[in-house]
Amino acid sequence: MSQTSVPLGGAPKPTARSNRRATVRYRCAPATTGKVYAGVDHEFLRAWIVDLSQRGIGMQLTKPIDLGRHVVIVMRSSDNSKSMEMSARVVRHHELPHNEWHIGCEFTIPLTPEELELFL
């Protein structure tokens, strides 16, 4: 529950940010990599996977990807025994220092708990 404070001359003002995520997001190990195919230049982009949930993924790339673009993300399991292609749509992006971009995607088909466990 968020608290509110009422300024002297106005309406209540929220004092805490709410979490709008529908599923728990897990941080990935620092060296977790993947490949992203965005249909641009017909090649894969290397991605550093920042976090992962059943419904989405956060990545760091060296190029931006347009909001709404459909992408294919390829990741290997944490023990390198399996590889999986996941279809997703870019839902957020913002520029980071050093010409890098944080890209947030929502999976077309959510991961099962077992699939999620493979990558953590």
Coordinates of all heavy atoms in Angstrom, one line a residue, residues 16-109:
A16 N 5.3 6.8 -2.9 CA 6.0 5.5 -3.3 C 5.7 5.1 -4.7 O 4.5 5.2 -5.1 CB 5.7 4.5 -2.2
R17 N 6.7 4.5 -5.4 CA 6.4 4.0 -6.7 C 5.8 2.6 -6.6 O 6.2 1.8 -5.8 CB 7.7 3.9 -7.5 CG 8.2 5.3 -7.9 CD 9.5 5.2 -8.6 NE 9.2 4.5 -9.9 CZ 10.2 4.3 -10.8 NH1 11.4 4.6 -10.5 NH2 9.9 3.7 -11.9
S18 N 4.8 2.3 -7.5 CA 4.2 1.0 -7.5 C 4.9 0.1 -8.5 O 5.4 0.6 -9.5 CB 2.7 1.1 -7.8 OG 2.5 1.6 -9.0
N19 N 4.9 -1.2 -8.3 CA 5.5 -2.1 -9.2 C 4.4 -2.6 -10.1 O 3.5 -3.2 -9.7 CB 6.2 -3.3 -8.4 CG 6.9 -4.2 -9.3 OD1 6.8 -4.1 -10.6 ND2 7.6 -5.1 -8.7
R20 N 4.6 -2.3 -11.4 CA 3.5 -2.7 -12.4 C 3.8 -4.0 -13.0 O 3.0 -4.4 -13.9 CB 3.4 -1.6 -13.4 CG 3.0 -0.2 -12.9 CD 3.0 0.8 -13.9 NE 4.4 0.8 -14.5 CZ 4.8 1.6 -15.5 NH1 3.9 2.5 -16.0 NH2 6.0 1.6 -15.9
R21 N 4.8 -4.7 -12.7 CA 5.1 -6.0 -13.3 C 4.1 -7.1 -12.9 O 3.8 -7.2 -11.7 CB 6.5 -6.4 -12.9 CG 7.6 -5.6 -13.6 CD 8.9 -6.3 -13.6 NE 9.8 -5.7 -14.6 CZ 10.7 -4.8 -14.3 NH1 10.8 -4.4 -13.0 NH2 11.4 -4.2 -15.2
A22 N 3.8 -7.9 -13.9 CA 2.8 -8.9 -13.6 C 3.5 -10.2 -13.1 O 2.8 -11.0 -12.5 CB 2.0 -9.3 -14.9
T23 N 4.8 -10.4 -13.4 CA 5.5 -11.6 -12.9 C 6.8 -11.1 -12.3 O 7.3 -10.1 -12.5 CB 5.8 -12.5 -14.1 OG1 6.5 -11.8 -15.1 CG2 4.5 -13.1 -14.7
V24 N 7.4 -12.0 -11.5 CA 8.7 -11.8 -10.8 C 9.8 -11.8 -11.9 O 9.8 -12.6 -12.7 CB 8.9 -12.8 -9.8 CG1 10.3 -12.6 -9.1 CG2 7.8 -12.8 -8.7
R25 N 10.6 -10.8 -11.8 CA 11.8 -10.7 -12.7 C 13.0 -11.1 -11.9 O 13.3 -10.6 -10.8 CB 11.9 -9.3 -13.2 CG 12.9 -9.2 -14.3 CD 12.6 -8.0 -15.2 NE 11.4 -8.2 -16.0 CZ 11.3 -8.0 -17.3 NH1 12.3 -7.6 -17.9 NH2 10.1 -8.1 -17.9
Y26 N 13.8 -12.0 -12.5 CA 15.0 -12.5 -11.9 C 16.3 -11.9 -12.6 O 16.3 -11.9 -13.8 CB 15.1 -14.0 -12.0 CG 13.9 -14.7 -11.3 CD1 12.8 -15.0 -12.0 CD2 14.0 -15.0 -10.0 CE1 11.7 -15.6 -11.4 CE2 12.9 -15.6 -9.3 CZ 11.8 -15.9 -10.0 OH 10.7 -16.5 -9.4
R27 N 17.2 -11.5 -11.8 CA 18.5 -11.0 -12.3 C 19.3 -12.2 -12.8 O 19.4 -13.2 -12.2 CB 19.3 -10.3 -11.2 CG 19.0 -8.9 -11.0 CD 20.2 -8.1 -10.9 NE 20.4 -6.8 -11.0 CZ 20.2 -6.1 -12.1 NH1 19.7 -6.6 -13.2 NH2 20.4 -4.8 -12.1
C28 N 19.9 -12.0 -14.0 CA 20.8 -13.1 -14.5 C 22.2 -12.9 -14.1 O 22.6 -11.8 -13.7 CB 20.7 -13.0 -16.1 SG 19.0 -13.5 -16.7
A29 N 23.0 -14.0 -14.2 CA 24.4 -13.9 -13.9 C 25.1 -12.8 -14.8 O 24.7 -12.6 -15.9 CB 25.1 -15.3 -14.1
P30 N 26.1 -12.2 -14.3 CA 26.7 -11.1 -15.0 C 27.2 -11.4 -16.5 O 27.2 -10.6 -17.3 CB 27.9 -10.7 -14.2 CG 27.6 -11.1 -12.8 CD 26.7 -12.4 -13.0
A31 N 27.6 -12.6 -16.7 CA 28.1 -13.0 -18.1 C 27.1 -13.7 -18.9 O 27.5 -14.4 -19.9 CB 29.4 -13.8 -17.9
T32 N 25.8 -13.5 -18.6 CA 24.8 -14.2 -19.4 C 24.6 -13.5 -20.8 O 24.3 -12.3 -20.8 CB 23.4 -14.2 -18.7 OG1 23.6 -14.9 -17.4 CG2 22.4 -15.0 -19.4
T33 N 24.8 -14.2 -21.8 CA 24.7 -13.6 -23.2 C 23.6 -14.3 -24.0 O 23.1 -15.4 -23.6 CB 26.0 -13.8 -24.0 OG1 26.3 -15.2 -24.1 CG2 27.2 -13.1 -23.3
G34 N 23.2 -13.6 -25.0 CA 22.2 -14.2 -25.9 C 22.4 -13.5 -27.3 O 23.3 -12.6 -27.4
K35 N 21.6 -13.9 -28.2 CA 21.6 -13.2 -29.6 C 20.2 -12.8 -29.8 O 19.3 -13.4 -29.5 CB 22.1 -14.2 -30.6 CG 23.5 -14.7 -30.5 CD 23.8 -15.8 -31.6 CE 25.1 -16.4 -31.4 NZ 25.3 -17.4 -32.4
V36 N 20.1 -11.6 -30.5 CA 18.8 -11.0 -30.9 C 18.8 -10.8 -32.4 O 19.7 -10.2 -33.0 CB 18.6 -9.7 -30.2 CG1 17.3 -9.1 -30.6 CG2 18.7 -9.8 -28.7
Y37 N 17.8 -11.4 -33.0 CA 17.6 -11.1 -34.4 C 16.4 -10.2 -34.5 O 15.3 -10.5 -34.1 CB 17.3 -12.4 -35.2 CG 17.0 -12.2 -36.6 CD1 18.0 -11.8 -37.5 CD2 15.7 -12.3 -37.2 CE1 17.8 -11.6 -38.8 CE2 15.5 -12.1 -38.5 CZ 16.5 -11.7 -39.3 OH 16.3 -11.5 -40.7
A38 N 16.6 -9.0 -35.0 CA 15.6 -8.0 -35.1 C 15.1 -7.7 -36.6 O 14.4 -6.8 -36.8 CB 16.1 -6.7 -34.5
G39 N 15.7 -8.5 -37.5 CA 15.3 -8.3 -38.9 C 16.0 -7.1 -39.5 O 15.8 -6.8 -40.7
V40 N 16.9 -6.4 -38.8 CA 17.6 -5.3 -39.3 C 19.0 -5.8 -39.7 O 19.7 -6.5 -38.9 CB 17.8 -4.2 -38.2 CG1 18.6 -3.0 -38.7 CG2 16.4 -3.8 -37.7
D41 N 19.5 -5.5 -40.8 CA 20.8 -6.0 -41.3 C 20.9 -7.5 -41.5 O 22.0 -8.0 -41.7 CB 21.9 -5.5 -40.4 CG 22.0 -4.0 -40.3 OD1 21.6 -3.3 -41.3 OD2 22.5 -3.5 -39.3
H42 N 19.8 -8.2 -41.3 CA 19.8 -9.7 -41.5 C 20.9 -10.4 -40.7 O 21.5 -11.3 -41.1 CB 19.9 -10.0 -42.9 CG 18.8 -9.4 -43.7 ND1 17.5 -9.9 -43.6 CD2 18.7 -8.4 -44.6 CE1 16.7 -9.2 -44.4 NE2 17.4 -8.3 -45.0
E43 N 21.2 -9.9 -39.5 CA 22.2 -10.6 -38.7 C 21.8 -10.5 -37.2 O 21.0 -9.6 -36.8 CB 23.6 -10.0 -38.9 CG 23.8 -8.6 -38.5 CD 25.2 -8.0 -38.8 OE1 25.6 -8.2 -39.9 OE2 25.8 -7.5 -37.8
F44 N 22.4 -11.3 -36.4 CA 22.1 -11.3 -35.0 C 22.9 -10.2 -34.3 O 24.1 -9.9 -34.7 CB 22.5 -12.7 -34.3 CG 21.4 -13.7 -34.6 CD1 21.6 -14.6 -35.7 CD2 20.3 -13.9 -33.8 CE1 20.7 -15.6 -35.9 CE2 19.4 -14.8 -34.0 CZ 19.5 -15.7 -35.1
L45 N 22.4 -9.7 -33.2 CA 23.1 -8.7 -32.4 C 23.4 -9.5 -31.1 O 22.6 -10.2 -30.5 CB 22.2 -7.5 -32.0 CG 21.7 -6.7 -33.2 CD1 20.7 -5.7 -32.7 CD2 22.9 -6.0 -33.8
R46 N 24.6 -9.2 -30.6 CA 25.0 -9.8 -29.3 C 24.3 -9.1 -28.2 O 24.3 -7.8 -28.2 CB 26.5 -9.8 -29.1 CG 26.9 -10.5 -27.8 CD 28.4 -10.3 -27.6 NE 28.7 -11.0 -26.4 CZ 29.6 -12.0 -26.3 NH1 30.3 -12.3 -27.4 NH2 29.9 -12.6 -25.2
A47 N 23.8 -9.8 -27.2 CA 23.0 -9.2 -26.1 C 23.6 -9.7 -24.8 O 23.9 -10.8 -24.6 CB 21.5 -9.5 -26.2
W48 N 23.7 -8.8 -23.8 CA 23.9 -9.2 -22.4 C 22.6 -9.2 -21.7 O 21.8 -8.2 -21.7 CB 24.8 -8.1 -21.7 CG 26.2 -8.1 -22.3 CD1 26.7 -7.1 -23.2 CD2 27.2 -9.0 -22.1 NE1 28.0 -7.4 -23.5 CE2 28.3 -8.6 -22.9 CE3 27.4 -10.2 -21.4 CZ2 29.5 -9.3 -22.9 CZ3 28.6 -10.9 -21.4 CH2 29.6 -10.4 -22.2
I49 N 22.2 -10.4 -21.2 CA 20.9 -10.6 -20.6 C 21.0 -10.0 -19.1 O 21.8 -10.5 -18.4 CB 20.5 -12.0 -20.6 CG1 20.6 -12.6 -22.0 CG2 19.1 -12.2 -20.1 CD1 19.8 -11.9 -23.1
V50 N 20.2 -9.1 -18.8 CA 20.2 -8.4 -17.5 C 19.2 -9.1 -16.6 O 19.6 -9.4 -15.4 CB 19.8 -6.9 -17.6 CG1 19.8 -6.3 -16.3 CG2 20.8 -6.2 -18.5
D51 N 18.0 -9.3 -17.0 CA 17.0 -10.0 -16.2 C 16.0 -10.7 -17.1 O 15.9 -10.5 -18.3 CB 16.3 -9.0 -15.2 CG 15.7 -7.8 -15.9 OD1 15.2 -7.9 -17.0 OD2 15.8 -6.7 -15.4
L52 N 15.2 -11.6 -16.4 CA 14.4 -12.5 -17.1 C 13.2 -12.9 -16.2 O 13.3 -13.0 -15.0 CB 15.2 -13.8 -17.4 CG 14.6 -14.9 -18.3 CD1 14.4 -14.4 -19.7 CD2 15.5 -16.1 -18.3
S53 N 12.0 -13.0 -16.8 CA 10.8 -13.5 -16.1 C 10.1 -14.4 -17.1 O 10.5 -14.6 -18.2 CB 9.9 -12.3 -15.7 OG 9.2 -11.7 -16.9
Q54 N 9.0 -14.9 -16.6 CA 8.2 -15.8 -17.5 C 7.6 -15.0 -18.7 O 7.4 -15.6 -19.7 CB 7.0 -16.5 -16.7 CG 7.5 -17.6 -15.9 CD 6.3 -18.3 -15.2 OE1 5.9 -18.0 -14.1 NE2 5.8 -19.3 -15.9
R55 N 7.4 -13.7 -18.5 CA 6.7 -12.9 -19.5 C 7.6 -12.0 -20.3 O 7.2 -11.4 -21.3 CB 5.6 -12.2 -18.9 CG 4.5 -13.1 -18.3 CD 3.4 -12.4 -17.8 NE 2.7 -11.8 -19.0 CZ 1.5 -11.4 -19.0 NH1 0.7 -11.6 -18.0 NH2 1.0 -10.8 -20.1
G56 N 8.9 -11.9 -19.9 CA 9.7 -10.9 -20.6 C 11.2 -11.0 -20.2 O 11.6 -11.8 -19.4
I57 N 12.0 -10.1 -20.9 CA 13.4 -10.1 -20.8 C 14.0 -8.7 -20.9 O 13.4 -7.9 -21.6 CB 14.0 -11.1 -21.8 CG1 15.5 -11.3 -21.6 CG2 13.8 -10.5 -23.2 CD1 16.1 -12.4 -22.5
G58 N 15.0 -8.4 -20.1 CA 15.7 -7.2 -20.2 C 17.1 -7.4 -20.7 O 17.8 -8.4 -20.2
M59 N 17.6 -6.7 -21.7 CA 18.9 -6.9 -22.3 C 19.6 -5.6 -22.5 O 19.0 -4.5 -22.6 CB 18.7 -7.5 -23.7 CG 17.8 -8.8 -23.7 SD 17.5 -9.3 -25.4 CE 16.4 -8.1 -26.0
Q60 N 20.9 -5.7 -22.6 CA 21.8 -4.6 -23.0 C 22.4 -4.9 -24.3 O 23.0 -5.9 -24.5 CB 22.8 -4.4 -21.9 CG 23.6 -3.1 -21.9 CD 24.4 -2.9 -20.7 OE1 24.0 -3.4 -19.6 NE2 25.5 -2.3 -20.9
L61 N 22.2 -3.9 -25.3 CA 22.7 -4.0 -26.6 C 23.5 -2.8 -27.0 O 23.4 -1.8 -26.4 CB 21.5 -4.2 -27.6 CG 20.5 -5.3 -27.4 CD1 19.3 -5.1 -28.3 CD2 21.2 -6.6 -27.8
T62 N 24.2 -2.9 -28.1 CA 25.0 -1.8 -28.6 C 24.2 -1.0 -29.6 O 24.7 0.1 -30.1 CB 26.3 -2.3 -29.3 OG1 26.0 -3.2 -30.3 CG2 27.2 -2.9 -28.2
K63 N 23.0 -1.4 -30.0 CA 22.2 -0.7 -31.0 C 20.8 -0.6 -30.4 O 20.3 -1.6 -29.8 CB 22.1 -1.4 -32.3 CG 23.5 -1.4 -33.0 CD 23.3 -2.1 -34.4 CE 24.6 -2.2 -35.1 NZ 24.5 -2.8 -36.4
P64 N 20.0 0.4 -30.7 CA 18.6 0.5 -30.3 C 17.8 -0.4 -31.2 O 18.2 -0.7 -32.3 CB 18.3 2.0 -30.5 CG 19.2 2.4 -31.5 CD 20.4 1.7 -31.4
I65 N 16.6 -0.8 -30.7 CA 15.6 -1.5 -31.5 C 14.3 -0.8 -31.3 O 14.0 -0.4 -30.2 CB 15.5 -3.0 -31.1 CG1 16.8 -3.7 -31.2 CG2 14.4 -3.7 -31.9 CD1 16.8 -5.2 -30.8
D66 N 13.6 -0.5 -32.4 CA 12.4 0.3 -32.3 C 11.3 -0.4 -31.5 O 11.2 -1.6 -31.5 CB 11.8 0.5 -33.7 CG 12.7 1.3 -34.6 OD1 13.4 2.2 -34.1 OD2 12.6 1.1 -35.9
L67 N 10.6 0.5 -30.7 CA 9.5 0.0 -29.9 C 8.5 -0.7 -30.9 O 8.2 -0.3 -32.0 CB 8.8 1.1 -29.2 CG 9.6 1.8 -28.1 CD1 8.9 3.0 -27.5 CD2 9.9 0.8 -27.0
G68 N 7.9 -1.8 -30.4 CA 6.9 -2.5 -31.2 C 7.5 -3.6 -32.1 O 6.7 -4.4 -32.7
R69 N 8.8 -3.5 -32.4 CA 9.4 -4.5 -33.3 C 9.4 -5.9 -32.7 O 9.7 -6.1 -31.6 CB 10.8 -4.1 -33.7 CG 11.5 -5.1 -34.6 CD 12.8 -4.6 -35.1 NE 12.8 -3.4 -35.9 CZ 12.5 -3.4 -37.2 NH1 12.3 -4.5 -37.9 NH2 12.6 -2.3 -37.9
H70 N 9.1 -6.8 -33.6 CA 9.2 -8.2 -33.2 C 10.6 -8.7 -33.4 O 11.2 -8.4 -34.4 CB 8.2 -9.1 -34.0 CG 6.8 -8.9 -33.6 ND1 6.2 -9.5 -32.5 CD2 5.9 -8.0 -34.1 CE1 5.0 -9.1 -32.4 NE2 4.7 -8.1 -33.3
V71 N 11.1 -9.5 -32.4 CA 12.5 -10.0 -32.4 C 12.5 -11.4 -32.0 O 11.5 -11.9 -31.5 CB 13.4 -9.2 -31.4 CG1 13.5 -7.7 -31.8 CG2 12.9 -9.3 -30.0
V72 N 13.6 -12.1 -32.3 CA 13.8 -13.5 -31.9 C 15.0 -13.4 -31.0 O 16.1 -12.9 -31.5 CB 14.0 -14.4 -33.1 CG1 14.4 -15.8 -32.6 CG2 12.7 -14.5 -33.9
I73 N 14.9 -14.0 -29.8 CA 16.0 -14.0 -28.9 C 16.5 -15.5 -28.7 O 15.7 -16.3 -28.5 CB 15.6 -13.5 -27.5 CG1 15.1 -12.0 -27.7 CG2 16.8 -13.5 -26.5 CD1 14.2 -11.6 -26.6
V74 N 17.8 -15.7 -28.9 CA 18.3 -17.0 -28.7 C 19.2 -17.0 -27.5 O 20.1 -16.2 -27.3 CB 19.2 -17.4 -29.9 CG1 19.8 -18.8 -29.8 CG2 18.3 -17.4 -31.2
M75 N 18.9 -18.0 -26.6 CA 19.7 -18.1 -25.3 C 20.0 -19.6 -25.1 O 19.3 -20.5 -25.5 CB 18.9 -17.7 -24.1 CG 18.8 -16.2 -23.9 SD 17.9 -15.7 -22.4 CE 18.9 -16.4 -21.2
R76 N 21.2 -19.8 -24.4 CA 21.5 -21.1 -24.0 C 21.2 -21.3 -22.5 O 21.3 -20.3 -21.8 CB 23.0 -21.4 -24.3 CG 23.3 -21.3 -25.8 CD 24.7 -21.9 -26.1 NE 24.9 -23.3 -25.7 CZ 24.5 -24.3 -26.5 NH1 23.8 -24.1 -27.6 NH2 24.7 -25.6 -26.1
S77 N 20.9 -22.5 -22.1 CA 20.6 -22.8 -20.7 C 21.8 -22.5 -19.9 O 22.9 -22.4 -20.4 CB 20.1 -24.2 -20.5 OG 21.1 -25.1 -21.0
S78 N 21.6 -22.3 -18.6 CA 22.7 -21.9 -17.7 C 23.8 -23.0 -17.7 O 25.0 -22.7 -17.4 CB 22.2 -21.7 -16.3 OG 21.5 -22.8 -15.8
D79 N 23.5 -24.3 -18.0 CA 24.5 -25.3 -18.0 C 25.0 -25.6 -19.5 O 25.7 -26.6 -19.7 CB 24.0 -26.6 -17.4 CG 22.8 -27.2 -18.1 OD1 22.4 -26.7 -19.1 OD2 22.3 -28.3 -17.6
N80 N 24.5 -24.7 -20.4 CA 24.9 -24.9 -21.8 C 24.4 -26.1 -22.5 O 24.9 -26.5 -23.6 CB 26.4 -24.7 -22.0 CG 26.8 -23.3 -21.9 OD1 26.1 -22.3 -22.3 ND2 28.0 -23.1 -21.2
S81 N 23.5 -26.8 -21.9 CA 23.0 -28.1 -22.5 C 21.9 -27.9 -23.6 O 21.7 -28.8 -24.4 CB 22.5 -29.0 -21.4 OG 21.4 -28.5 -20.8
K82 N 21.2 -26.8 -23.5 CA 20.1 -26.5 -24.4 C 20.1 -25.1 -24.9 O 20.6 -24.2 -24.3 CB 18.8 -26.8 -23.7 CG 18.5 -28.2 -23.3 CD 17.2 -28.4 -22.7 CE 17.0 -29.8 -22.3 NZ 15.7 -30.1 -21.7
S83 N 19.6 -24.9 -26.1 CA 19.4 -23.6 -26.7 C 18.0 -23.4 -27.0 O 17.3 -24.4 -27.4 CB 20.3 -23.5 -28.0 OG 20.1 -22.2 -28.6
M84 N 17.5 -22.2 -26.9 CA 16.1 -21.9 -27.1 C 15.9 -20.6 -27.8 O 16.6 -19.6 -27.5 CB 15.3 -21.9 -25.7 CG 13.9 -21.8 -25.8 SD 13.1 -22.0 -24.2 CE 11.4 -21.8 -24.6
E85 N 15.0 -20.6 -28.8 CA 14.6 -19.4 -29.5 C 13.3 -18.9 -28.9 O 12.3 -19.7 -28.8 CB 14.4 -19.6 -31.0 CG 15.7 -19.9 -31.7 CD 15.5 -20.0 -33.2 OE1 14.4 -19.8 -33.7 OE2 16.5 -20.3 -33.9
M86 N 13.2 -17.6 -28.6 CA 12.0 -17.0 -28.0 C 11.6 -15.8 -28.8 O 12.4 -14.9 -29.1 CB 12.3 -16.6 -26.6 CG 12.7 -17.8 -25.7 SD 13.4 -17.3 -24.1 CE 15.1 -17.0 -24.7
S87 N 10.3 -15.8 -29.2 CA 9.8 -14.7 -30.0 C 9.3 -13.6 -29.0 O 8.7 -14.0 -28.0 CB 8.6 -15.2 -30.9 OG 8.0 -14.1 -31.5
A88 N 9.6 -12.3 -29.3 CA 9.2 -11.3 -28.3 C 8.9 -10.0 -29.1 O 9.2 -9.9 -30.3 CB 10.3 -11.1 -27.3
R89 N 8.4 -9.0 -28.4 CA 8.1 -7.7 -28.9 C 8.8 -6.7 -28.0 O 8.7 -6.7 -26.8 CB 6.6 -7.4 -29.0 CG 6.2 -6.1 -29.5 CD 4.7 -6.0 -29.6 NE 4.0 -6.2 -28.4 CZ 3.8 -5.3 -27.5 NH1 4.1 -4.0 -27.7 NH2 3.1 -5.6 -26.3
V90 N 9.5 -5.7 -28.6 CA 10.1 -4.6 -27.8 C 9.1 -3.7 -27.2 O 8.3 -3.1 -27.9 CB 11.1 -3.8 -28.7 CG1 11.8 -2.7 -27.9 CG2 12.2 -4.8 -29.3
V91 N 9.1 -3.6 -25.9 CA 8.1 -2.7 -25.2 C 8.7 -1.5 -24.5 O 8.0 -0.6 -24.1 CB 7.3 -3.6 -24.2 CG1 6.4 -4.6 -24.9 CG2 8.2 -4.2 -23.1
R92 N 10.1 -1.5 -24.4 CA 10.7 -0.3 -23.8 C 12.2 -0.3 -24.2 O 12.8 -1.4 -24.5 CB 10.6 -0.2 -22.3 CG 11.4 -1.2 -21.5 CD 11.1 -1.1 -20.0 NE 9.8 -1.5 -19.5 CZ 9.4 -2.8 -19.5 NH1 10.2 -3.7 -20.0 NH2 8.2 -3.1 -19.1
H93 N 12.7 0.9 -24.3 CA 14.2 1.0 -24.6 C 14.6 2.4 -24.1 O 13.9 3.3 -24.1 CB 14.5 0.8 -26.1 CG 13.9 1.9 -27.0 ND1 13.9 1.7 -28.3 CD2 13.4 3.1 -26.7 CE1 13.3 2.8 -28.9 NE2 13.0 3.6 -27.9
H94 N 15.8 2.4 -23.6 CA 16.4 3.7 -23.2 C 17.9 3.6 -23.4 O 18.5 2.5 -23.2 CB 16.0 4.2 -21.8 CG 16.5 3.3 -20.7 ND1 15.8 2.2 -20.2 CD2 17.6 3.4 -19.9 CE1 16.4 1.7 -19.2 NE2 17.5 2.4 -19.0
E95 N 18.5 4.7 -23.7 CA 20.0 4.8 -23.9 C 20.7 4.8 -22.6 O 20.3 5.4 -21.6 CB 20.3 6.0 -24.7 CG 21.7 6.0 -25.2 CD 22.0 7.2 -26.2 OE1 21.1 8.0 -26.4 OE2 23.1 7.2 -26.8
L96 N 21.8 4.0 -22.6 CA 22.7 3.9 -21.4 C 24.0 4.7 -21.8 O 24.2 5.0 -23.0 CB 23.0 2.5 -21.1 CG 21.8 1.6 -20.8 CD1 22.2 0.1 -20.8 CD2 21.2 2.0 -19.4
P97 N 24.9 4.9 -20.8 CA 26.2 5.5 -21.1 C 27.0 4.6 -22.1 O 26.7 3.4 -22.2 CB 26.9 5.5 -19.8 CG 25.8 5.5 -18.8 CD 24.7 4.7 -19.4
H98 N 27.9 5.1 -22.8 CA 28.9 4.4 -23.6 C 28.2 3.8 -24.9 O 28.6 2.7 -25.3 CB 29.7 3.4 -22.9 CG 30.3 3.9 -21.6 ND1 31.3 4.8 -21.6 CD2 30.0 3.6 -20.3 CE1 31.6 5.1 -20.4 NE2 30.8 4.4 -19.5
N99 N 27.2 4.5 -25.4 CA 26.5 4.0 -26.6 C 25.9 2.6 -26.5 O 25.9 1.8 -27.4 CB 27.5 4.0 -27.8 CG 28.0 5.4 -28.1 OD1 27.2 6.4 -28.1 ND2 29.2 5.6 -28.4
E100 N 25.3 2.3 -25.4 CA 24.6 1.1 -25.2 C 23.2 1.4 -24.9 O 22.8 2.5 -24.5 CB 25.3 0.2 -24.0 CG 26.7 -0.2 -24.4 CD 27.3 -1.1 -23.4 OE1 27.1 -0.9 -22.2 OE2 28.0 -2.0 -23.7
W101 N 22.3 0.3 -25.1 CA 20.9 0.5 -24.9 C 20.3 -0.6 -24.0 O 20.7 -1.8 -24.2 CB 20.2 0.4 -26.3 CG 20.5 1.6 -27.1 CD1 21.6 1.9 -27.8 CD2 19.7 2.7 -27.3 NE1 21.5 3.1 -28.4 CE2 20.3 3.7 -28.1 CE3 18.4 3.1 -26.8 CZ2 19.8 4.9 -28.4 CZ3 17.9 4.3 -27.1 CH2 18.5 5.2 -28.0
H102 N 19.4 -0.3 -23.2 CA 18.6 -1.3 -22.4 C 17.4 -1.5 -23.2 O 16.6 -0.5 -23.5 CB 18.3 -0.8 -21.0 CG 17.5 -1.8 -20.2 ND1 18.1 -2.8 -19.6 CD2 16.2 -2.0 -20.1 CE1 17.2 -3.6 -19.0 NE2 16.0 -3.1 -19.3
I103 N 17.1 -2.7 -23.5 CA 15.9 -3.1 -24.3 C 15.1 -4.1 -23.5 O 15.6 -5.1 -23.0 CB 16.3 -3.8 -25.6 CG1 17.4 -3.0 -26.4 CG2 15.1 -4.2 -26.4 CD1 16.9 -1.7 -27.0
G104 N 13.8 -3.7 -23.3 CA 12.9 -4.6 -22.6 C 11.9 -5.2 -23.6 O 11.3 -4.5 -24.4
C105 N 11.7 -6.5 -23.5 CA 10.8 -7.2 -24.4 C 9.8 -8.1 -23.7 O 10.1 -8.6 -22.6 CB 11.6 -8.2 -25.3 SG 12.8 -7.3 -26.4
E106 N 8.6 -8.2 -24.3 CA 7.6 -9.1 -23.8 C 7.5 -10.3 -24.7 O 7.4 -10.2 -25.9 CB 6.3 -8.4 -23.7 CG 5.1 -9.2 -23.2 CD 3.9 -8.4 -23.1 OE1 3.5 -7.7 -24.1 OE2 3.2 -8.4 -22.1
F107 N 7.6 -11.5 -24.1 CA 7.5 -12.7 -24.9 C 6.2 -12.9 -25.6 O 5.1 -12.6 -25.0 CB 7.8 -14.0 -24.1 CG 9.2 -14.0 -23.5 CD1 9.5 -14.3 -22.2 CD2 10.3 -13.8 -24.4 CE1 10.8 -14.3 -21.7 CE2 11.6 -13.9 -23.9 CZ 11.8 -14.1 -22.5
T108 N 6.2 -13.4 -26.8 CA 4.9 -13.7 -27.5 C 4.2 -14.9 -26.8 O 3.0 -14.8 -26.6 CB 5.2 -14.1 -29.0 OG1 6.0 -13.1 -29.6 CG2 3.9 -14.4 -29.7
I109 N 5.0 -15.9 -26.4 CA 4.5 -17.0 -25.6 C 5.3 -17.0 -24.3 O 6.5 -17.2 -24.3 CB 4.6 -18.3 -26.3 CG1 3.8 -18.3 -27.6 CG2 4.2 -19.5 -25.4 CD1 4.1 -19.5 -28.5

